[in-house]
Amino acid sequence: AEEGGLARDPQLTAVGVMGPDESGDVLARAARSIRDTIDALPAGARRLPGEVADVVRRDLRRFFRRELARKPVVIPIVIEE
């Protein structure tokens, strides 16, 4: 991965947000949204785990509100390598 970029695709787990029949496609789209959002951050911000977590939280909350009309609790975990 580039300096400050994602080492691998985001991994998402949803509990109680949607049924199993809709979760696969929705989570795949949510992961793409996260990747696009992180890629759009300035390089310096991508190196700050707290900043990345805040941006991911906001992005996912917007995503689920827009896609599912739901407001789940979002707990991002950023792992540095």
Side-chain angles (χ1 to χ4, degrees):
E2 72 179 71
E3 180 69 25
L6 292 174
R8 62 183 69 123
D9 287 334
Q11 297 177 358
L12 302 172
T13 301
V15 178
V17 177
M18 63 195 110
D21 57 323
E22 63 184 337
S23 66
D25 181 54
V26 172
L27 292 180
R29 290 194 326 266
R32 277 193 302 274
S33 179
I34 292 170
R35 178 173 279 288
D36 292 346
T37 297
I38 291 173
D39 287 347
L41 284 175
R46 280 184 272 161
R47 290 188 205 98
L48 302 171
E51 179 68 20
V52 172
D54 288 343
V55 169
V56 166
R57 182 181 298 107
R58 283 192 304 267
D59 180 69
L60 281 176
R61 288 179 59 93
R62 278 188 213 117
F63 176 86
F64 283 111
R65 190 171 33 243
R66 182 180 65 241
E67 296 288 320
L68 302 174
R70 296 187 186 136
K71 297 179 185 179
V73 173
V74 176
I75 304 170
I77 299 172
V78 177
I79 300 171
E80 296 181 80
E81 291 190 352

